[in-house]
Amino acid sequence: QQQVKQSPQSLIVQKGGISIINCAYENTAFDYFPWYQQFPGKGPALLIAIRPDVSEKKEGRFTISFNKSAKQFSLHIMDSQPGDSATYFCAASRSARQLTFGSGTQLTVLP
Amino acid sequence: NAGVMQNPRHLVRRRGQEARLRCSPMKGHSHVYWYRQLPEEGLKFMVYLQKENIIDESGMPKERFSAEFPKEGPSILRIQQVVRGDSAAYFCASSPGLAGDEQFFGPGTRLTVL
């Protein structure tokens, strides 16, 4: 019940295109849903996060869409750039406790 | 305004030795979390600590692993009698706790067991 499932495992997008990564969760007690970006050899960096009381949050080129009834949330990267090439992780937590991470999506943006 | 600091960044140990990983949280953060990342995998929760207290250690292996966050000084993750399967990247994250959920990660310690 603690699992967070993430897809796709890898994604290749042309420069300027839209990258979409999806996650699904099971535990309805989760109340915080962040996305992290990780470059090789680095720690995860917080990109954007959402709570269940809103259905969408946008920060620059990054948008989270949240569907509480379906228990799904997704990350959209608009106008994808080669510098966005990294591994992206979705995560979920309950009451500011530990994060449960998805398995990651390796994004490659072609120039 | 330093972020989460971890040291060492790389640690090589032979089987049977002890590994000691340190984490200094961001200024003002009183909550520390340790995660482990195996190659090509996501991060797995290990332990959640507040100053002088272990809040949740449900992700810690039952043997050889321990963690502390003393009143003064960094949080320490200690692995005794390391085995090759302990080779991984160990990340520490900190958060302000009740003041916010956001967890900020350090650069990690990459442990290699020979």
Side-chain angles (χ1 to χ4, degrees):
Chain A
Q1 196 176 12
Q2 293 293 325
Q3 213 173 6
V4 176
K5 294 183 179 179
Q6 183 171 347
S7 62
Q9 187 174 3
S10 62
L11 180 62
I12 299 175
V13 175
Q14 293 286 340
K15 178 182 175 182
I18 302 174
S19 303
I20 302 174
I21 305 170
N22 301 298
C23 283
Y25 64 97
E26 298 173 355
N27 188 347
T28 55
F30 286 146
D31 57 8
Y32 174 68
F33 302 88
W35 285 89
Y36 285 85
Q37 178 189 58
Q38 186 179 31
F39 293 103
K42 305 293 185 182
L46 180 63
L47 262 181
I48 186 172
I50 199 167
R51 297 188 186 280
D53 53 344
V54 297
S55 60
E56 187 174 281
K57 183 175 181 180
K58 184 176 181 179
E59 289 184 1
R61 296 185 294 112
F62 300 95
T63 300
I64 299 179
S65 297
F66 186 83
N67 186 328
K68 188 175 180 179
S69 61
K71 293 187 285 186
Q72 295 176 347
F73 58 111
S74 60
L75 176 69
H76 296 231
I77 306 174
M78 313 299 287
D79 187 27
S80 299
Q81 299 297 312
D84 296 331
S85 296
T87 301
Y88 292 80
F89 293 96
C90 63
S93 73
R94 172 179 64 87
S95 303
R97 296 181 77 89
Q98 67 270 22
L99 292 166
T100 299
F101 281 87
S103 54
T105 296
Q106 191 165 348
L107 171 66
T108 302
V109 181
L110 300 176
Chain B
N1 187 18
V4 178
M5 299 176 68
Q6 289 187 251
N7 64 82
R9 295 293 309 277
H10 299 273
L11 182 60
V12 179
R13 285 288 178 265
R14 296 192 180 277
R15 281 179 297 170
Q17 290 185 321
E18 179 180 290
R20 196 172 286 231
L21 289 61
R22 289 176 290 276
C23 168
S24 296
M26 286 180 69
K27 187 176 181 180
H29 286 192
S30 58
H31 294 222
V32 165
Y33 310 78
W34 286 92
Y35 296 84
R36 177 164 63 177
Q37 185 175 35
L38 296 171
E40 309 300 324
E41 292 189 14
L43 289 87
K44 304 294 185 187
F45 166 75
M46 299 182 74
V47 62
Y48 165 33
L49 310 102
Q50 296 177 22
K51 284 284 187 181
E52 298 185 281
N53 283 305
I54 296 175
I55 306 302
D56 185 344
E57 56 182 349
S58 59
M60 288 275 271
K62 297 298 181 205
E63 299 177 347
R64 302 189 297 108
F65 285 72
S66 63
E68 63 176 4
F69 189 15
K71 186 177 180 180
E72 301 291 337
S75 175
I76 305 288
L77 179 67
R78 184 181 176 207
I79 311 172
Q80 295 178 290
Q81 298 176 302
V82 296
V83 301
R84 289 219 173 107
D86 296 333
S87 295
Y90 291 82
F91 291 97
C92 164
S94 74
S95 78
L98 292 177
D101 293 331
E102 295 86 353
Q103 292 186 24
F104 297 92
F105 282 79
T109 294
R110 279 149 186 85
L111 172 65
T112 301
V113 180
L114 301 177

